[in-house]
Amino acid sequence: MKKMKRSLSFIAGLVLVLGLVFNQANTTFAAINESQPSLSEVTSLAKETASYVLSEDSALLTSVTSNSEFRTISRDLILANQVGLDVSSQINTFLETAKTLFAEGGLLNEASNTSGYYAANYAELIELVNITNQDASNFNGVNLYAAFNDSLKDVTVANLSDSKYFNPYLISEIHACLSSYSANLTDYETINANLNEAVMTITDANGVVYWGYSADNDGNTLSGFTDFYNSNSEFAAIIDSLVAKHTSTTATSDGTVYTDPETGAVYSWGALNPDSTALSLAFLSEYGDATAAAIKYNALVENFKSSTTTGAFIGYDSLYSSRDALIGLAAYLQYGNLVDATVDTNTETETATANSVEASQVAANQDTVSTSETSASDVKAADNSMANVFVILMAASAVLLVVTTKKNAEVK
């Protein structure tokens, strides 16, 4: 059956690539645009995209039947909260669903850590519980911090860097949880060191190696490693080479990360690709510069934003494209240094709005832990510097041949 699924994925992917190449010849794309958008513009679009994605996800709030579904709804809720959408009621609904999974011996009680979902599910759940100011050390009678720690403490670097054992697209969310809640994790130092070493193992000057190189791999896997970038010169050199690759308008020999000089979009696997453009936006927002990020943002909006469905982005699978777009938009809001210029009528000078997406709300959500069961000294909330790293969570990027094949061949 697996062989049949892979064959069908291959055929579907091949048809898709050929179709996109054909359609591209009959499509007029927007020209490259370097102008930086305003904070309010990006925030509004991000909220619209989050609303669209969650409307499509609504059934998952009360019914989750697989690890990938758990990850999908958790990630989308976290990102929606991050861009400033009020999703408190949806999060609380999903947390009640999560409790039933514990009770039934379901997804969160798997014996196997294969593919990393076991650890990732706990990472996502910890963040959602903290967003709602509940106690992650006693959620439904479970210490989520201990469960997360224990799911990773014996996982070796070899396992973490083996895509057949551990899906690299889960690394960024797990790293974010480690960094945000390190004081609550007994084996933090060991786990973090192993994860950093694994990232170095699977990444070279051309990007993250996972069925080849792609903007998707870089955007999904390397997000949130800013501290590691600042402390490790070897990793910093790799990231700098990738920034150059993500902004280059000259096709490389592998051809997987190439900025189209006419539009600014990422030309990937035979056509301009909305998912790859969005994930390149996420990567460049964190590690690139304002102009590079603005080009990717404008390329995403002008070439792939739906003209008929609010918040949607058009791709082979528009829901997946919209989910990836949300990741790119959230990252851009966090790292893009966006401002709104307003005219002061008294001085007739421009003043900049602070670079924040409802910063006070986010800080309150991330830095407050319920004390209903424990004192404030017992559980340390997320560090402010890392609280927003979750905006760059992994994407379920499932377009084109390679990504479709990954989902069937690598993710259990």
Side-chain angles (χ1 to χ4, degrees):
M1 181 60 71
K2 283 188 176 180
K3 290 183 178 179
M4 181 178 292
K5 286 182 178 179
R6 293 177 188 179
S7 298
L8 291 174
S9 297
F10 181 89
I11 294 170
L14 183 60
V15 171
L16 165 64
V17 170
L18 294 174
L20 287 175
V21 172
F22 176 80
N23 289 335
Q24 186 184 354
N26 297 283
T27 302
T28 301
F29 290 99
I32 195 168
N33 181 353
E34 297 184 0
S35 62
Q36 189 176 62
S38 67
L39 171 63
S40 56
E41 173 190 334
V42 181
T43 302
S44 177
L45 179 57
K47 288 182 177 180
E48 290 177 353
T49 303
S51 294
Y52 167 73
V53 166
L54 288 179
S55 69
E56 296 296 308
D57 288 345
S58 58
L60 298 180
L61 292 172
T62 55
S63 177
V64 177
T65 60
S66 68
N67 281 294
S68 59
E69 286 184 350
F70 189 100
R71 175 177 176 247
T72 293
I73 186 60
S74 299
R75 176 211 54 208
D76 292 347
L77 285 169
I78 292 168
L79 289 170
N81 174 76
Q82 197 62 56
V83 302
L85 197 67
D86 182 3
V87 290
S88 54
S89 63
Q90 291 99 315
I91 292 177
N92 283 321
T93 296
F94 177 66
L95 289 179
E96 290 304 308
T97 299
K99 291 178 181 179
T100 68
L101 299 176
F102 283 104
E104 296 172 0
L107 303 176
L108 297 179
N109 290 326
E110 290 185 340
S112 172
N113 190 34
T114 301
S115 294
Y117 274 117
Y118 186 57
N121 285 348
Y122 279 113
E124 294 147 358
L125 192 55
I126 286 170
E127 185 68 3
L128 289 171
V129 169
N130 275 284
I131 287 173
T132 55
N133 299 324
Q134 298 182 55
D135 181 8
S137 71
N138 186 13
F139 176 75
N140 199 40
V142 177
N143 185 332
L144 299 180
Y145 299 118
F148 175 67
N149 181 92
D150 292 348
S151 71
L152 289 167
K153 67 180 183 179
D154 296 322
V155 181
T156 65
V157 172
N159 288 147
L160 290 170
S161 54
D162 179 0
S163 63
K164 291 182 174 62
Y165 181 91
F166 199 95
N167 182 355
Y169 280 23
L170 302 174
I171 285 177
S172 60
E173 69 201 88
I174 289 174
H175 176 264
C177 188
L178 282 171
S179 300
S180 294
Y181 305 100
S182 58
N184 302 311
L185 307 174
T186 306
D187 299 289
Y188 164 73
E189 295 294 342
T190 298
I191 297 170
N192 190 60
N194 287 344
L195 200 63
N196 287 343
E197 186 176 343
V199 167
M200 291 291 292
T201 301
I202 64 175
T203 310
D204 60 31
N206 288 313
V208 174
V209 183
Y210 182 44
W211 290 72
Y213 301 106
S214 69
D216 305 59
N217 290 353
D218 299 344
N220 278 310
T221 307
L222 299 175
S223 298
F225 281 85
T226 307
D227 287 350
F228 190 41
Y229 174 90
N230 291 330
S231 63
N232 187 293
S233 59
E234 184 180 356
F235 182 68
I238 291 174
I239 292 295
D240 291 345
S241 72
L242 293 182
V243 168
K245 188 173 183 180
H246 277 254
T247 55
S248 174
T249 55
T250 302
T252 57
S253 58
D254 59 72
T256 52
V257 183
Y258 164 55
T259 297
D260 176 36
E262 299 297 325
T263 67
V266 174
Y267 195 89
S268 178
W269 300 105
L272 299 183
N273 189 312
D275 300 69
S276 297
T277 302
L279 292 164
S280 184
L281 167 62
F283 177 79
L284 289 174
S285 294
E286 184 171 3
Y287 298 110
D289 59 34
T291 299
I295 288 173
K296 288 295 184 290
Y297 169 83
N298 292 323
L300 178 67
V301 172
E302 294 170 3
N303 296 305
F304 305 112
K305 185 175 180 293
S306 173
S307 60
T308 58
T309 304
T310 301
F313 287 79
I314 303 304
Y316 168 61
D317 184 319
S318 291
L319 178 54
Y320 277 112
S321 296
S322 300
R323 286 172 176 153
D324 283 344
L326 180 57
I327 291 174
L329 294 171
Y332 194 31
L333 284 172
Q334 174 62 22
Y335 295 106
N337 297 315
L338 300 172
V339 299
D340 280 333
T342 58
V343 177
D344 185 324
T345 55
N346 293 321
T347 62
E348 295 185 355
T349 60
E350 289 189 345
T351 60
T353 301
N355 178 25
S356 169
V357 185
E358 301 183 11
S360 59
Q361 174 190 334
V362 172
N365 285 339
Q366 300 287 356
D367 292 335
T368 303
V369 176
S370 171
T371 57
S372 59
E373 299 293 336
T374 59
S375 67
S377 61
D378 292 330
V379 180
K380 181 180 180 298
D383 295 334
N384 231 359
S385 61
M386 295 304 301
N388 293 329
V389 167
F390 261 87
V391 303
I392 326 289
L393 289 178
M394 58 302 149
S397 181
V399 296
L400 297 179
L401 168 62
V402 167
V403 182
T404 303
T405 305
K406 287 177 193 173
K407 285 174 70 64
N408 286 317
E410 296 292 342
V411 181
K412 307 298 181 185

